[in-house]
Amino acid sequence: MTPPPPAALPGLVLRPTEAADEGFLQALYASTRADLAALPLPDAAKAALLAQQYRSQTAHYRARFAAADFSLVLLDGAPVGRLIVARGRHELHLIDISLLPALQGRGIGTQLLAGLIAESDASARPIAAHVACSNPARAWYARLGFRSLADDGVYLRLHRPCADAAPAMEAQA
């Protein structure tokens, strides 16, 4: 059962990303890659590696999910994260949700995902997502009704059925 969303956070809005957001988005990406930041490299080499990885990820997402909504998450007008969602005919694909580490655990991500879950239920389209096996957010996804469909050793393929499909999926398990 999906927990109720947290009380609405006033001032939490999404808007399409713009070229002017690139500096923030690159810094956000770097904040999510503690594994790369911990490499025994000079700071300049780490910064170059993180910038290159951000550019590669962005190019991949833009090429593979060209029709996706690339959104900046704003809280009281300040950028705090990003949300990328591809809305297909038969499913919603959560490509990325990232928040600044200092703002994680405050209900922002849960509110964002609650909106996507409501859209999923209203449109009868399940949500697909991938998460790194090492990502501690796996437990968060599970609390929100996502189940693992596949594990390739690096990523888990997650699925959250829409409300109408939930009883049928449970009966099949």
Side-chain angles (χ1 to χ4, degrees), residues 80-101:
V80 298
R82 77 173 178 180
L83 179 68
I84 305 173
V85 178
R87 289 171 168 83
R89 195 165 142 206
H90 300 290
E91 79 175 2
L92 304 175
H93 188 160
L94 175 60
I95 298 161
D96 186 55
I97 182 169
S98 298
L99 296 170
L100 292 171

Side-chain angles (χ1 to χ4, degrees), residues 66-83:
D69 293 323
F70 290 76
S71 300
L72 193 69
V73 179
L74 301 167
L75 182 60
D76 298 327
V80 298
R82 77 173 178 180
L83 179 68

Side-chain angles (χ1 to χ4, degrees), residues 28-116:
L28 175 66
Y29 174 83
S31 77
T32 69
R33 295 303 308 261
D35 58 332
L36 294 179
L39 291 174
L41 298 170
D43 289 344
K46 286 182 201 180
L49 175 62
L50 286 163
Q52 183 274 327
Q53 290 293 305
Y54 167 74
R55 287 190 304 274
S56 293
Q57 182 191 65
T58 300
H60 170 73
Y61 286 168
R62 293 267 180 204
R64 177 122 195 268
F65 306 104
D69 293 323
F70 290 76
S71 300
L72 193 69
V73 179
L74 301 167
L75 182 60
D76 298 327
V80 298
R82 77 173 178 180
L83 179 68
I84 305 173
V85 178
R87 289 171 168 83
R89 195 165 142 206
H90 300 290
E91 79 175 2
L92 304 175
H93 188 160
L94 175 60
I95 298 161
D96 186 55
I97 182 169
S98 298
L99 296 170
L100 292 171
L103 296 172
Q104 294 173 4
R106 296 186 182 188
I108 296 168
T110 300
Q111 184 172 326
L112 293 170
L113 214 44
L116 194 60

